[in-house]
Amino acid sequence: MARALIFPGQGSQAVGMGKALAEAFPQARAVFDEVDDALGQKLSALMFEGPADELTLTANAQPALMAASLAGVRVLEAERGLDLARDVRCVAGHSLGEYAALAAAGSLTVADAARLLRIRGDAMQRAVAPGAGAMAALIGTDLEAAKAIAAEAAGEEACDVANDNGGGQVVLSGHRAAVERAVAGAQARGIKRAVLLNVSAPFHCRLMAPAAEAMRAALAEVALRAPSVPLYANVTAAPESDPDAIRRNLVAQVTGTVRWRESVAAMAEAGVDRFYEVGSGKVLSGLVKRIAAGATATAIGTPDDVAAFSL
């Protein structure tokens, strides 16, 4: 029996996330206070009370999701005796969730993770003019078919595979016209479902190159220690513990594909059979169940979830 902690990415945010943990546990409140202080903003009030449209802004959603995840980890440590180095085989996070994973494993401080995610969110939003990019989800396909659709649609524009999420779900990203052509091409090929996503920028594609450079500069200024357990990186789908390699992967991740399906499969192949999604929502838990046959996946985001957790 081996555990992995996994951490959600953008799209899992919801008004009220973390509020019940903050009301019940001082360890959770301490995390939210630390993030608020690091950002010079009462982000926790936005998380707990909204409004939703402000929370959904990339620069807010990214540090907010990390804060909710780390609050959950700190409560599990205090209330359930969790020791990552002893009790967890590895960690992973979806896109921004990698920063939560690294903070959970002691590679980044919570304050540094919050500041980096604010920079990341701002840089990703600025990288492409509003309306110039788009993302689309292809449902009922595999990676190779999605790559072919993207290549056919691209022409002289960008259309890249942003996320290989597993369970037949692949996300494309790039110039709006190219992504729209990909949606039409997917439908013509009989793909079960192809839909444009309601996102503010085309994440994880070559158009994010300016944001990658911003993160290269920001990460160079931050202390990054070896994590207490290996991190399965989005861009390699392989375990990594070397701080310099982790830093390079975090830069590459901004423009690269989130290889979530391969990451979960690799963790399962390494013996992980219990996945715990810590933070807001249950998106990753659902994907794990489709990728790793026989593995359990449990979301932990409320006091009841904490109470049900056992080592």
Side-chain angles (χ1 to χ4, degrees):
M1 303 282 277
R3 302 177 188 86
L5 297 188
I6 56 176
F7 299 91
Q10 200 160 339
S12 289
Q13 70 275 358
V15 172
M17 65 181 186
K19 185 177 182 181
L21 288 180
E23 291 173 345
F25 303 109
Q27 297 83 7
R29 290 196 296 276
V31 170
F32 295 127
D33 288 345
E34 186 174 358
V35 171
D36 288 350
D37 289 345
L39 298 179
Q41 172 195 5
K42 199 70 173 171
L43 184 64
S44 58
L46 182 59
M47 294 169 63
F48 300 162
E49 308 297 341
D53 58 348
E54 192 173 339
L55 177 61
T56 301
L57 293 174
T58 301
N60 290 328
Q62 295 199 16
L65 283 160
M66 184 280 300
S69 290
L70 265 293
V73 170
R74 297 291 179 256
V75 171
L76 289 174
E77 292 170 338
E79 295 293 317
R80 309 305 294 169
L82 176 70
D83 181 323
L84 254 74
R86 181 193 67 203
D87 301 321
V88 173
R89 177 73 58 85
C90 56
V91 294
H94 194 284
S95 190
L96 77 91
E98 283 202 331
Y99 290 79
L102 289 166
S107 185
L108 283 171
T109 67
V110 170
D112 280 344
R115 286 188 285 262
L116 285 168
L117 286 170
R118 171 56 54 81
I119 293 168
R120 186 177 183 269
D122 281 335
M124 292 173 99
Q125 195 63 62
R126 290 196 308 269
V128 179
M135 299 181 75
L138 310 184
I139 311 297
T141 188
D142 60 22
L143 179 60
E144 293 311 311
K147 284 181 176 178
I149 291 166
E152 185 178 89
E156 298 299 314
E157 296 182 306
C159 188
D160 300 332
V161 174
N163 305 343
D164 178 18
N165 285 332
Q169 182 189 119
V170 181
V171 177
L172 304 183
S173 182
H175 287 108
R176 176 169 291 276
V179 173
E180 289 174 345
R181 288 194 296 271
V183 168
Q187 292 167 341
R189 286 173 178 244
I191 299 297
K192 182 179 176 183
R193 191 162 174 241
V195 291
L196 289 171
L197 299 178
N198 182 21
V199 294
S200 57
F203 305 127
H204 296 291
C205 76
R206 70 192 79 172
L207 300 181
M208 287 287 114
E213 290 309 307
M215 292 313 298
R216 190 188 310 279
L219 284 159
E221 301 298 319
V222 171
L224 207 156
R225 292 160 293 279
S228 58
V229 295
L231 168 80
Y232 275 73
N234 285 179
V235 295
T236 63
E240 188 57 73
S241 294
D242 176 67
D244 289 336
I246 289 171
R247 203 185 305 270
R248 289 193 298 271
N249 289 338
L250 288 173
V251 174
Q253 182 228 60
V254 177
T255 55
T257 301
V258 176
R259 295 167 62 183
W260 188 251
R261 174 184 57 83
E262 293 172 88
S263 296
V264 171
M267 286 185 276
E269 181 67 22
V272 172
D273 55 5
R274 286 184 284 174
F275 293 81
Y276 294 92
E277 179 180 5
V278 187
S280 179
K282 302 178 180 180
V283 171
L284 299 185
S285 299
L287 293 175
V288 165
K289 291 172 183 176
R290 294 181 173 190
I291 298 165
T296 63
T298 306
I300 300 177
T302 68
D304 286 345
D305 298 333
V306 170
F309 177 84
S310 61
L311 292 170

